[in-house]
Amino acid sequence: MTTPQDLDDRLRESLSALTMPRHRTDPAQPVADGAALTGAQLLELFDAQVTSRQLDLAGRWLRSFGEGYHTISSAGHEGNAAVAAALRPTDPALLHYRSGAFYCVRAAQAAEPPTGSVLLTPDNGPDGTPTHPVDSAEPDDAPDPTADDATTDPAADDATTGRETDDQAVPSASAAPVDAADAAPADAADPVVEDEPGDGVPAGTDAIDSTTPAGDGAAGGALSAVVRRPVASAYTEAARDVLRGMVASREDPTAGGRHKVFGRADLTVVPTTSTAASHLPRAVGMGLAVERLRRLDARGVAAHVDVAPWAPDAIVVCSFGDAAINHADAAAAFNTAGWYDHTGLRIPVLFVCEDNGLGGSLRSPQGWVATALRAKPGIRYFAADGADLVATYEVAREAAAWVRRHRRPAVLHLSTLRLLGHVGADAESAYRSAEEIAADLAADPLVATAQRLVEAGLADGAELLDRYDEIGWQIRRLAEQVLDEPKLNDPAEVIAPLAPRRPLRVAQAVADAGARAAGPDAGARLEAFGGKPPELSGPLTLAQSVNAALTDALLAYPQLAVFGQDVAAKGGRYGVTRDLRDRFGPARVFDTLLDETSVLGLGLGAGLAGMLPVPEIQSLAYLHNAEAQVRGEAATMGFLSQGALRNPMLLRVAGLAYQEGFGEHVRDDNSVAVLRDVPGLVIAVPARPDDAAAMLRTCLASAAVDGSVCVFLEPVGLYHARDLYADGDGEWLAGYAEPGAWASGHVPVGRARVYGVGSAEDITIVTFGNGVRMALRAASTLADEGIGSRVVDLRWLAPLPVADLIREAAATGRVLVVDETRRSGGVGEGVIAALVDAGYVGAARRVAAVDCFVPLGPAARQVLISEEAITQGARTLLAR
C-alpha cells in the first residue's frame, strides 16, 4: 500500500528529475496558444494542489500520534482546483470529502480584499460583478426559450469520446461537451460571455516583473519572482480551517470542532455529511429554488427574506465520487433533475463526478461510470482528465457557462486517482496489485502539473520542489499551532448550534402574523378564503383546520411553498390541501414526482435558499424510504455549520393508525422511533382541530425564527372525526381562532394539554394522537365508576413536555401511559424514562400496541390499543 512517506518521496523524486526549461516565458501570457490560463495562474493552481497534498500528509502525521481525527485524503483528486477556478465564489458548492484543492481555490476567490492573489471569475469583471446582465425571467412553468428542446438527446452524447484505462473509464482530457454546438460562445443576448485569457484563477499580485525579459537568460528574473512570491494568504487560511477540523479544534470556523467537513457560509460552501450521495437531492432542491427565486426577483416580486447572498444567475455545484452514482440518493437526484428539465422547469446544477475508479475496495466496472452518466436524460455530459489542469479548466468553464446560460443541469465527469487509499487504515494491498498502486503513483496529478509548468517555460523542477517544501513547512507549522487550540469540553457547548430555541421570539412571530392578518392583510385574507374566513365557518374537523392554517401561513409567509405528491391538483390524498393551488397558484403550491427522497431534497434545498418549505409525505411508511434526508441532511445543518447555515422546514406527514375501515401497514404506520432519536428535531402530533392550527403556526414560526426542522405528524384516523362520546355529538370539532386570538392561543413547543375528567384526582393518563380521543372516552367510563382522571395530551413527541408530565404525574401518583406506537421503541419508553429520571416514585403502567405491523381490516384491532384496553389498564393500576 502507499504510505505518506512513499507518496512524498515519489513526488520529490519526480520534481527533482524535471529538467530546466529550454526557454523562459512570461508568466503573464497564456500557458499555451488559445489557453485561458496564464502561466502565473497555473502556478497559483499548483500552489492550491500542493496545499491540499500537504494537508493530506499533515493529517496522517497528526493521526500517527493520536491527535488527528480525519484521514480521508484528497490526494489524486487535486484536479478539482481547476473546477473551482471555473466557478464564481457566489456559486453554492456542496463538496465531497476529497475537495481540498477546490476549497483552497474557493477561499482565494472569496478573499476580500485579495490577499496575495487576484481572482477573476470566468464571466465576471475584475470587481466580481457580471459583465453582462442576466436574461429576463420566463414564467415559472414555461420551458426555457434559450434551450433547443426540453431534454438532452442521449444519442447526442456520442459526440463526446473518452479513453479507457485497464480498470476504469477515464474521459479524454480534451473531450468536448456533448453536442458542443449547443454550448457555443454566448452572444449579446446571452447572460454569459467568453472569458478573457487569464480569468478564473488566482494570480500573484506581486509575482511578475513585466519588465524582466523572458528568455534563456531570465532564470533569475521573472521566474524567480514568481517562485519566490509569498504563498497566498487565502491558501494558508484555508489550510488552517482544514487542520482545525482535523484536530477537532473549537476554533474550526465550519463546525467548531464537531465534525471535519469542507464548508463555510462566507465561502458559499455548504457542509455535507460523509454519506455517499446524500447531498445530491439537496443540490437539486437548491437549484430549483435558486432559479425560482431568480425569476420572482426579476419580476420584482418580494419572494423571500434572509436569503443567502447568491447572484441572480448563480448555479449550484455538487461533487461526489464515482461509486456514489450507484446510490439511491444519486439516482433520485439525477432523475428529479432530468424529470424537471423534461417538463420545462429549470434547475441550474453542475454535478461533478470525480472518478477514481474505486468505491472503498469495490472497482467501478470498466466504462460503467461514463455509460451511466451519459445516459441520464435531461442532463448534459462533459468530460475531462483531472490530471490536466489546463484542459480541465477549459471544460469546467464551458460546462459552468452552459449551465449558467441555459439554467439546465449538466454533469462533469472528471477522471482522478485515489492515492493514499480510501482512509488512513485502508490496506489497499488487499484488493489492488502493487503494479496498479505504482501506476497511480506514476500518474500523480501534481507531477503532471509540474511537467506542464516546465514544458511551458515557467519553472524548473528544483524551483517547484522548493515551492512544495515551502508550503509543506507552513502546513506543518500550522498543524503544530492548532494542536494547542481548545477542544469542546462542555455538553451544552457541543449541542448549542443543534436546535436553538427562542420561545419568546417564536411567540412574538405568531402574534405578529395574527396582527397582520387582522390588520393590513385582512382584505387579502378575506379574498383568499372566498369571502368567508374559517372563524366564521363554524366548527371544523382536523383536516379542515390544517387546511385553513396552511392558507393563513401562505398569506403570512411570502417565502412559503407547499409541495408534495398530489398536494396541488388533487388537494392531497385526504383533501387536506384542497383549493390551496387555486388560491395561491402553482408557483407556491405544486405537485412533485412520486419519490420521497426528492420531495425532501427539494425541501432541504429550498430552505437553504431562503424559502420556507412545507413538503408533504403521503404516509409515515413512505417517510422511511427517505429518512436519511431528515436524519443526515436536515437535522445536521446547524450542527455542521455552527448555526451559520440552516434549512428551516415543516414536514407534514400523514400517519399513525385507526383509519376508518382500517388500512394496512403502509397506510397505517405507527412507527415513529426513527424520528424521535434524531437530535434537534421537533415532532408535533396534533389530536384536536384547534390544537392542529395553533401547533402548525408554532412550527412555522419556529422554522422561520430558529431554522427548526419540524415534523408535523397528522393522525389520519382523526382527519375527519367529528364526534367524541356518541354519534352526532360534534364534540371532536372545534372553532378556528380569529387572528386577533392567535397570540393568546399560542401553543409553545414542548407544552402539553391537560383535560380533567371527573374529580381528576385518581389517575393520570398520558397519551397523544389517536390515544387522546380514546383516553377521553375511557376516562368518561371511569368517571361513571367514581374514578377521576387527568388526560395529558403530550402534543409534542420531541421535545417531550417533561415539566408538564412530571407535574401531572405527581398530582395523582398513578400514571397510565397510553401509547399507540409499538411497545418496543415506542413513545411510552421515553415517557417512563423521563418519569424515572425526574425521580417519580409513584405507580406506572403502560398500554401499548403490539410489536407487529398493522394488518389489514379487523385484524388490526388485535394489535392496536383500544378504549377497553385503556379502561382495564387503569383499573389494574388502581387495584395495586
Side-chain angles (χ1 to χ4, degrees):
M1 61 179 291
T2 304
T3 66
Q5 190 65 49
D6 293 336
L7 187 60
D8 183 58
D9 287 347
R10 182 62 178 265
L11 179 56
R12 296 176 65 83
E13 291 171 5
S14 298
L15 293 178
S16 298
L18 294 175
T19 58
M20 179 74 72
R22 289 187 302 170
H23 301 285
R24 294 285 181 168
T25 58
D26 182 358
Q29 298 303 310
V31 71
D33 290 342
L37 287 175
T38 68
Q41 291 169 333
L42 186 59
L43 283 164
E44 286 282 348
L45 289 183
F46 178 73
D47 282 357
Q49 291 184 304
V50 170
T51 301
S52 178
R53 178 63 56 82
Q54 292 288 6
L55 281 169
D56 291 339
L57 299 179
R60 302 301 177 97
W61 174 69
L62 290 164
R63 183 60 178 164
S64 68
F65 53 90
E67 290 290 347
Y69 305 99
H70 187 87
T71 56
I72 298 177
S73 69
S74 302
H77 285 248
E78 292 90 354
N80 55 39
V83 178
L87 298 162
R88 297 179 185 169
T90 53
D91 290 331
L94 294 83
L95 305 178
H96 73 139
Y97 43 60
R98 302 193 192 277
S99 301
F102 186 112
Y103 186 79
C104 290
V105 173
R106 174 56 65 92
Q109 287 177 317
E112 293 182 5
T115 52
S117 295
V118 173
L119 191 72
L120 305 180
T121 50
D123 38 16
N124 283 357
D127 62 352
T129 57
T131 55
H132 279 239
V134 186
D135 281 343
S136 60
E138 298 83 24
D140 286 304
D141 295 319
D144 189 340
T146 65
D148 293 335
D149 49 36
T151 60
T152 298
D153 182 0
D157 288 346
D158 293 338
T160 303
T161 59
R163 58 183 173 84
E164 307 292 341
T165 62
D166 290 338
D167 60 355
Q168 61 177 327
V170 181
S172 168
S174 59
V178 176
D179 199 358
D182 210 5
D187 55 28
D190 290 321
V192 180
V193 297
E194 284 293 280
D195 308 327
E196 294 297 326
D199 288 358
V201 291
T205 56
D206 55 358
I208 302 169
D209 179 359
S210 59
T211 63
T212 304
D216 291 340
L223 183 63
S224 295
V226 170
V227 171
R228 291 175 182 173
R229 72 194 187 288
V231 177
S233 61
Y235 289 168
T236 305
E237 290 306 309
R240 193 191 305 271
D241 290 352
V242 176
L243 289 166
R244 282 170 163 164
M246 288 181 180
V247 301
S249 167
R250 191 170 61 190
E251 303 301 319
D252 168 28
T254 301
R258 294 169 183 84
H259 197 41
K260 163 63 184 71
V261 291
F262 289 113
R264 274 186 59 175
D266 58 338
L267 300 184
T268 328
V269 177
V270 179
T272 64
T273 63
S274 58
T275 304
S278 66
H279 57 303
L280 271 67
R282 181 199 293 274
V284 175
M286 289 178 67
L288 183 65
V290 165
E291 183 62 8
R292 186 172 291 270
L293 293 173
R294 179 182 79 88
R295 294 175 182 230
L296 290 173
D297 186 61
R299 298 172 189 165
V301 178
H304 52 283
V305 295
D306 297 331
V307 179
W310 300 335
D313 62 345
I315 67 174
V316 179
V317 61
C318 179
S319 64
F320 51 95
D322 53 293
I325 70 168
N326 306 307
H327 198 283
D329 285 347
F334 290 136
N335 184 69
T336 303
W339 188 88
Y340 276 115
D341 187 80
H342 186 78
T343 66
L345 294 178
R346 296 305 174 224
I347 298 185
V349 177
L350 178 60
F351 298 103
V352 180
C353 178
E354 298 187 17
D355 181 2
N356 62 33
L358 291 161
S361 63
L362 181 68
R363 299 175 188 274
S364 293
Q366 186 177 19
W368 166 247
V369 176
T371 300
L373 292 177
R374 287 173 184 270
K376 303 298 182 187
I379 300 177
R380 188 57 57 95
Y381 179 89
F382 296 82
D385 181 354
D388 186 339
L389 277 187
V390 177
T392 295
Y393 177 71
E394 296 286 352
V395 176
R397 186 180 64 157
E398 188 171 9
W402 188 89
V403 174
R404 198 179 309 280
R405 179 167 65 243
H406 294 292
R407 318 306 293 169
R408 296 175 63 186
V411 61
L412 172 59
H413 183 192
L414 189 67
S415 65
T416 62
L417 302 171
R418 193 181 74 189
L419 306 174
L420 290 180
H422 180 57
V423 292
D426 184 25
E428 280 189 293
S429 57
Y431 57 91
R432 301 187 75 195
S433 68
E435 292 76 17
E436 286 180 295
I437 295 173
D440 277 0
L441 279 172
D444 190 333
L446 267 65
V447 175
T449 304
Q451 289 173 334
R452 188 66 180 260
L453 289 168
V454 171
E455 292 167 359
L458 294 162
D460 64 28
E463 293 160 342
L464 296 175
L465 179 58
D466 285 345
R467 192 65 166 173
Y468 177 78
D469 285 339
E470 178 187 358
I471 293 174
W473 176 83
Q474 290 192 17
I475 298 298
R476 178 62 65 89
R477 181 170 57 87
L478 289 173
E480 293 172 347
Q481 290 175 357
V482 300
L483 277 174
D484 296 328
E485 292 182 348
K487 307 292 193 295
L488 295 169
N489 57 15
D490 178 78
E493 187 178 20
V494 173
I495 68 174
L498 183 62
R501 297 274 183 266
R502 292 178 288 186
L504 293 180
R505 294 191 183 186
V506 170
Q508 186 60 53
V510 171
D512 291 345
R516 291 193 302 271
D521 296 342
R525 183 172 184 265
L526 189 64
E527 181 180 356
F529 283 109
K532 190 175 183 180
E535 59 269 24
L536 300 181
S537 300
L540 306 180
T541 64
L542 190 145
Q544 292 169 333
S545 186
V546 171
N547 178 276
L550 286 172
T551 301
D552 273 322
L554 283 158
L555 289 165
Y557 298 96
Q559 73 273 33
L560 188 145
V562 175
F563 53 91
Q565 302 167 17
D566 299 326
V567 304
K570 184 178 179 180
R573 171 181 285 175
Y574 304 102
V576 180
T577 56
R578 184 174 294 138
D579 298 329
L580 292 184
R581 188 181 69 169
D582 293 340
R583 293 168 180 168
F584 297 97
R588 301 191 64 196
V589 182
F590 55 92
D591 289 325
T592 64
L593 65 171
L594 272 64
D595 174 61
E596 288 73 29
T597 296
S598 298
V599 172
L600 292 175
L602 292 177
L604 293 173
L608 202 57
M611 297 177 67
L612 185 55
V614 183
E616 178 188 296
I617 301 296
Q618 280 190 347
S619 171
L620 179 58
Y622 298 161
L623 178 63
H624 303 319
N625 300 336
E627 60 200 23
Q629 290 295 306
V630 176
R631 176 185 300 274
E633 294 296 319
T636 61
M637 182 53 65
F639 190 73
L640 295 181
S641 68
Q642 300 193 84
L645 294 170
R646 62 186 200 169
N647 41 219
M649 183 165 65
L650 172 62
L651 173 60
R652 293 182 48 249
V653 183
L656 302 176
Y658 302 98
Q659 292 192 57
E660 185 177 351
F662 290 100
E664 35 78 30
H665 79 282
V666 173
R667 300 290 188 270
D668 284 0
D669 186 8
N670 61 345
S671 175
V672 299
V674 71
L675 294 172
R676 287 188 56 247
D677 76 340
V678 177
L681 200 66
V682 173
I683 306 174
V685 183
R688 290 185 54 85
D690 46 350
D691 276 344
M695 292 169 68
L696 191 143
R697 285 191 286 268
T698 297
C699 286
L700 287 171
S702 181
V705 170
D706 293 328
S708 302
V709 179
C710 303
V711 176
F712 202 71
L713 184 56
E714 300 167 6
V716 177
L718 297 178
Y719 267 147
H720 307 298
R722 307 176 69 85
D723 307 320
L724 175 57
Y725 300 113
D727 291 344
D729 66 12
E731 291 290 331
W732 205 251
L733 301 173
Y736 189 87
E738 61 180 4
W742 291 356
S744 60
H746 171 58
V747 178
V749 173
R751 291 301 307 270
R753 179 171 182 171
V754 182
Y755 301 84
V757 181
S759 66
E761 296 177 353
D762 299 311
I763 190 171
T764 299
I765 303 176
V766 178
T767 188
F768 63 95
N770 293 285
V772 178
R773 188 161 173 251
M774 287 187 287
L776 287 172
R777 289 175 169 177
S780 178
T781 299
L782 293 171
D784 291 340
E785 301 173 10
I787 300 171
S789 305
R790 294 170 180 254
V791 177
V792 179
D793 178 3
L794 293 170
R795 296 196 291 197
W796 307 91
L797 304 188
L800 281 172
V802 176
D804 294 336
L805 173 64
I806 300 304
R807 182 188 67 249
E808 299 304 320
T812 65
R814 300 182 185 89
V815 175
L816 179 66
V817 180
V818 176
D819 181 7
E820 65 175 294
T821 61
R822 300 168 193 167
R823 181 167 293 274
S824 297
V827 176
E829 290 182 343
V831 172
I832 296 295
L835 289 171
V836 173
D837 289 345
Y840 173 73
V841 294
R845 183 179 176 83
R846 271 195 304 164
V847 174
V850 175
D851 289 343
C852 178
F853 298 108
V854 180
L856 186 64
R861 298 189 181 95
Q862 306 306 312
V863 299
L864 298 173
I865 61 172
S866 64
E867 297 169 34
E868 293 76 13
I870 298 171
T871 304
Q872 187 56 45
R875 293 184 182 122
T876 302
L877 182 62
L878 289 164
R880 288 185 179 178

